Amino acid sequence: MYDLNGQDIIVVGGAGYIGSHVCKMIAQQGGRPITFDNLSAGHEHAVQWGPLEKVDLCDRAALDTAFKNWSNATAVVHLASSIEVGIGEKQPAEFYTNNVVGALNLLDAMRVAKLDKLIFSSTCATYGETDKMPIEESDPQLPFSVYGKTKLAIEHMIQSYHKAYGLNYVTLRYFNAAGADESGLIGEEHDPETHLIPIAMQAAAGRRKELTLFGTDYDTPDGTCVRDYIHVNDIARAHICALEKFEAGLSKAEINIGTGDGVSNLDVLKTIGEVTGHVVPYVEGARRDGDLSKLYADKGQAKAVLGFEPIHSSLENIIKTAWNFHNSRWQNLEN
Ligand code: UDP
C-alpha cells in the first residue's frame, strides 16, 4: 500500500470509532495523524498514533488556530459528526449544527489555511428508500433521515468548494461500519450505544437483558432490515487509497464503500450466535424512525477509481474482531 512518507494528515474525529482506525493505518503507512476532536463522542485513550488537538468545529476561531498549529499538513480526513439515526429524528437542531455548521466551518478554515485535499465520510443514508439494489453512486440521493440529510448537505457544500475554490475531494459513502482492529485496542464504543452489533454483543454476553429488533415487517426476505457491513479496517484502507489517488491527480469523486452483500438483522444475530457460541436474546419491536428497509452497495466505482476492494469484511471476521474488542473492553472496565 501507499507510503505516506512522513506526511501530516489531519483527522477530524480521530478519537472516534472509524477515526481511530484511520489514524492507526495512517501511522502504519508512514504518515502522522493529527487528531482534531472535541472529545464529545470520541475517547482520548483512542488517540494513540499522533497528537491530539482538542478543538470544536463550531468554534471557528479555535479551528483557524488549530490549522495554524499544524501548517505542514497535506490533507484532511473529516469523520466528526452526530451519527445515530434515531436521535437525529428527535434532535435535528443538534444534528444540523454539529454536522452542517461544523463542516462549513471546516471547509472554510481549510480554504483560509490553503489546504486543498479532503476525504469526507458520507453515508449510504444519503440515498433514501429505493428498490434498486445494489445502489450505484449515480442513483438519486433522497435521504429519508435527518442524519442522511445533513450528510447530503455537506456533500453539496464540498462540491461547491471544489467548483469555486479548487478543493480536491473524495467523498466516501460508507455503508455499515463494523468490526474492530485485531489488536483489541480500539473499536466501537458509543455512549449511549445504538448500533446493532455492539448491542447484540452486550445481550449475548448477558450485559443487557435483550436486544429489541426494530421492525420485522419490512419488505425483505425475513422481514428485518438489510444492511451492508464493512470492516472498519477496510474503511480505513479506503482512506489510504484516496490519499494515494490525490497524489496521482484525482480531484473529485463520490464513492460507495461497502461489500456489495446485503445481510439482514436476523442474519447478524444468527452469525453472532455461531461465531461467539452465545445466543443473542431478542424481542421483536416496532420500526425505528428514520430506518430504510435495505441498503447495499455497488462497489464497482471503489475498485475502478480508488483501486479499493474489501479484504477484512466477511461477517464472521467482523463479528470475531468486534467480540474480541468488546471482551477486552469489558475486562478493562471491571479491573
Ligand atoms: N437495530 C435493531 N435494534 C437495535 C439497534 C439497531 O433492530 O437495538 C437495527 C436498526 O433498526 C437497523 C439495523 O439494526 O435496521 C442497523 O442499525 P444500526 O443502528 O446498527 O446502523 P444504521 O443502519 O442505522 O446505520
Side-chain angles (χ1 to χ4, degrees):
M1 236 187 343
Y2 180 51
D3 182 355
L4 287 166
N5 205 12
Q7 286 181 65
D8 278 355
I9 312 288
I10 291 170
V11 182
V12 184
Y17 168 43
I18 301 176
S20 56
H21 289 78
V22 169
C23 287
K24 185 175 183 210
M25 203 157 288
I26 287 172
Q28 266 170 6
Q29 295 307 122
R32 182 168 68 149
I34 316 293
T35 292
F36 282 17
D37 205 300
N38 66 2
L39 300 180
S40 64
H43 306 278
E44 196 158 357
H45 64 81
V47 184
Q48 300 182 22
W49 293 276
L52 169 65
E53 175 80 50
K54 205 173 160 216
V55 62
D56 191 321
L57 291 186
C58 290
D59 183 344
R60 175 61 200 272
L63 199 53
D64 285 333
T65 305
F67 275 113
K68 281 190 192 126
N69 291 343
W70 302 101
S71 56
N72 284 338
T74 54
V76 176
V77 176
H78 176 34
L79 307 112
S81 83
S82 300
I83 55 165
E84 298 86 0
V85 173
I87 297 174
E89 301 308 301
K90 296 188 187 94
Q91 297 169 13
E94 178 191 318
F95 268 56
Y96 280 99
T97 305
N98 284 348
N99 295 3
V100 181
V101 175
L104 181 58
N105 279 339
L106 178 69
L107 286 174
D108 212 59
M110 284 178 66
R111 180 175 67 87
V112 170
K114 302 199 179 345
L115 252 169
D116 66 354
K117 296 188 191 74
L118 173 70
I119 302 172
F120 170 58
S121 46
S122 187
T123 167
C124 57
T126 58
Y127 289 113
E129 188 74 63
T130 167
D131 277 332
K132 182 181 165 289
M133 289 290 145
I135 292 184
E136 292 173 80
E137 288 82 351
S138 54
D139 285 340
Q141 287 179 288
L142 296 163
F144 183 59
S145 61
V146 169
Y147 169 62
K149 286 175 183 163
T150 65
K151 290 285 188 173
L152 183 57
I154 300 167
E155 286 199 17
H156 289 159
M157 295 187 323
I158 290 171
Q159 289 159 3
S160 303
Y161 269 66
H162 167 78
K163 210 167 152 204
Y165 306 123
L167 175 71
N168 303 297
Y169 73 89
V170 175
T171 286
L172 299 175
R173 295 185 188 138
Y174 309 154
F175 283 63
N176 284 56
D181 189 58
E182 282 181 1
S183 64
L185 291 173
I186 43 175
E188 198 166 5
E189 350 173 26
H190 302 118
D191 186 20
E193 188 51 77
T194 62
H195 292 99
L196 180 70
I197 292 179
I199 289 180
M201 290 192 167
Q202 290 169 359
R207 300 183 71 91
R208 70 163 69 210
K209 187 164 158 255
E210 64 209 1
L211 169 127
T212 302
L213 198 49
F214 296 142
T216 50
D217 58 348
Y218 284 99
D219 184 18
T220 58
D222 65 21
T224 64
C225 292
V226 169
R227 295 287 182 272
D228 178 341
Y229 292 92
I230 177 144
H231 196 284
V232 63
N233 272 340
D234 275 332
I235 293 183
R237 284 177 49 249
H239 290 75
I240 306 296
C241 295
L243 290 169
E244 181 173 13
K245 296 298 169 187
F246 279 144
E247 200 67 28
L250 182 66
S251 66
K252 67 178 192 115
E254 281 86 9
I255 308 283
N256 287 342
I257 299 297
T259 65
D261 298 324
V263 174
S264 78
N265 294 346
L266 275 175
D267 289 335
V268 170
L269 304 190
K270 184 166 156 275
T271 311
I272 291 176
E274 287 163 5
V275 171
T276 69
H278 295 262
V279 172
V280 179
Y282 71 89
V283 290
E284 296 185 1
R287 293 182 178 198
R288 182 175 71 177
D289 272 357
D291 270 344
L292 296 166
S293 63
K294 54 186 179 301
L295 281 168
Y296 50 95
D298 181 288
K299 56 180 181 172
Q301 287 299 304
K303 173 99 196 291
V305 178
L306 298 183
F308 168 79
E309 278 185 293
I311 55 175
H312 302 291
S313 294
S314 69
L315 189 56
E316 287 72 19
N317 189 50
I318 284 173
I319 287 168
K320 195 178 104 205
T321 55
W323 184 245
N324 175 45
F325 168 71
H326 288 299
N327 276 287
S328 42
R329 182 170 168 247
W330 294 329
Q331 258 171 25
N332 286 339
L333 289 175
E334 273 146 29
N335 290 334

